[in-house]
Amino acid sequence: MTQAESMSTMSKEMQDCVAACMECHSVCEETMSSCMQMGGQAQMQIMRALIDCAEMTRMCADMMMRRSPLSAEMCAMCAKACEMCAEACESMPDDAQMMRCAEACRRCVQTCRAMSGMAM
């Protein structure tokens, strides 16, 4: 493998983190749609957490894929947004979509925390 090829190849950890971010983004978007159908004022806190998480995970994945020097800091922020979203979703334990979203968020928290401690 040439140096150029090794530079363009993402590590397994980074690939896993990008995949977890993209999965989390997708599930958050689906959950937002579900929340909008439910309505209710109590949903506003959850909606804010879902929007923040969806935006952060998309941006985090994008930054890792383009090898941004800010990726580690973005991963740390993304982990925080995902943690907040998981907690918000877990406030509705009887809702299967919310629990699916919380699980995706928790997976993303783990991979982003691992990446935030690594040199990109």
Side-chain angles (χ1 to χ4, degrees):
M1 183 177 347
T2 68
Q3 186 174 3
E5 287 172 324
S6 66
M7 291 293 287
S8 67
T9 304
M10 282 196 285
S11 69
K12 170 86 168 93
E13 293 80 14
M14 192 181 291
Q15 290 173 13
D16 290 347
C17 191
V18 168
C21 283
M22 295 308 290
E23 171 67 13
C24 188
H25 171 77
S26 176
V27 175
C28 283
E29 292 284 341
E30 292 168 17
T31 306
M32 277 189 264
S33 178
S34 176
C35 273
M36 285 189 271
Q37 291 172 353
M38 283 187 250
Q41 192 61 30
Q43 302 299 334
M44 291 310 294
Q45 180 183 358
I46 294 171
M47 284 296 289
R48 279 189 205 96
L50 287 164
I51 292 166
D52 286 351
C53 189
E55 290 298 314
M56 291 289 265
T57 51
R58 183 194 50 77
M59 186 182 296
C60 189
D62 289 350
M63 290 177 81
M64 284 186 284
M65 287 187 280
R66 68 175 174 261
R67 310 300 194 282
S68 169
L70 300 174
S71 292
E73 290 90 346
M74 187 64 203
C75 284
M77 285 292 296
C78 187
K80 186 173 184 175
C82 289
E83 184 72 39
M84 290 172 67
C85 190
E87 288 173 8
C89 289
E90 288 165 351
S91 72
M92 297 184 68
D94 296 333
D95 187 296
Q97 180 64 35
M98 292 288 184
M99 292 301 95
R100 184 171 161 244
C101 188
E103 288 173 21
C105 289
R106 296 276 181 213
R107 281 191 300 276
C108 196
V109 168
Q110 290 176 340
T111 60
C112 280
R113 281 188 180 149
M115 289 307 297
S116 69
M118 297 177 68
M120 293 286 158

